[in-house]
């Protein structure tokens, strides 16, 4: 399992310039986008997960203290909150770009979604506060 500090460190190793023709360019989106597994590029491999193994059903609550939304490119990446808490972490072997991927399960569909990690948006892990 990867925590917020590790995700920030891993994503800060990304090359600052884009590698022309890099196979992961289809994944380089600042906000969550749908992607078919057929379009998933070779050379982008899973390096970890944000899913806590001791939680059977992670929360669907989101973390947006600045008024962002799920689809906002500047939404904070808070690993204990939806959809990050259901995401796996991938890295490109060429340019070292880091991506999050999770699968949305609806009533009649399955939607794989991906988002590139901007290390500046990874926030310290803010745990949910449960009230009795």
């Amino acid at each position: 399992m990867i925590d917020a500090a590790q995700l920030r460190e891993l994503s800060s190793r990304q090359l600052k310039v884009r590698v022309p023709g890099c196979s992961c360019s289809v994944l380089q989106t600042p906000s969550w986008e749908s992607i078919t597994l057929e379009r998933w590029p070779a050379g982008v491999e899973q390096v970890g997960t944000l899913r806590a193994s001791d939680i059977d059903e992670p929360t669907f609550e989101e973390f947006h203290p600045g008024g962002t939304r799920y689809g906002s490119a500047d939404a904070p990446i808070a690993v204990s909150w939806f959809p990050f808490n259901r995401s796996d972490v991938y890295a490109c072997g060429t340019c070292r770009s880091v991506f999050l991927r999770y699968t949305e399960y609806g009533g009649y569909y399955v939607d794989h979604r991906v988002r590139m990690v901007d290390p500046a948006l990874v926030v310290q892990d803010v745990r949910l506060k449960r009230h009795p």
Side-chain angles (χ1 to χ4, degrees), residues 6-39:
Q6 293 166 322
L7 182 62
R8 189 179 309 106
E9 167 62 26
L10 181 65
S11 60
S12 70
R13 296 180 196 161
Q14 299 173 136
L15 298 179
K16 302 300 181 212
V17 294
R18 296 290 167 232
V19 176
C22 189
S23 66
C24 78
S25 62
V26 67
L27 305 178
Q28 295 178 3
T29 63
S31 59
W32 290 108
E33 297 291 335
S34 296
I35 185 162
T36 62
L37 294 182
E38 294 79 28
R39 291 185 60 213

Side-chain angles (χ1 to χ4, degrees), residues 5-132:
Q6 293 166 322
L7 182 62
R8 189 179 309 106
E9 167 62 26
L10 181 65
S11 60
S12 70
R13 296 180 196 161
Q14 299 173 136
L15 298 179
K16 302 300 181 212
V17 294
R18 296 290 167 232
V19 176
C22 189
S23 66
C24 78
S25 62
V26 67
L27 305 178
Q28 295 178 3
T29 63
S31 59
W32 290 108
E33 297 291 335
S34 296
I35 185 162
T36 62
L37 294 182
E38 294 79 28
R39 291 185 60 213
W40 193 262
V44 179
E45 304 292 331
Q46 186 175 348
V47 295
T49 187
L50 301 180
R51 295 168 137 307
S53 61
D54 60 338
I55 299 175
D56 290 333
E57 187 62 34
T59 185
F60 281 104
E61 291 182 57
E62 297 182 30
F63 182 74
H64 297 286
T68 56
R69 299 177 45 130
Y70 167 92
S72 301
D74 60 343
I77 298 172
V79 302
S80 294
W81 300 74
F82 182 81
F84 309 104
N85 59 357
R86 296 166 183 263
S87 298
D88 293 319
V89 182
Y90 290 79
C92 176
T94 302
C95 70
R96 299 190 302 260
S97 292
V98 177
F99 307 95
L100 299 176
R101 184 175 93 185
Y102 85 100
T103 303
E104 181 76 31
Y105 296 97
Y108 297 99
Y109 68 93
V110 173
D111 188 12
H112 304 285
R113 298 187 183 168
V114 66
R115 176 183 174 162
M116 188 172 185
V117 177
D118 177 347
L121 295 176
V122 178
V123 297
Q124 184 59 38
D125 192 15
V126 180
R127 293 280 176 199
L128 291 166
K129 290 185 169 61
R130 298 287 181 207
H131 300 288

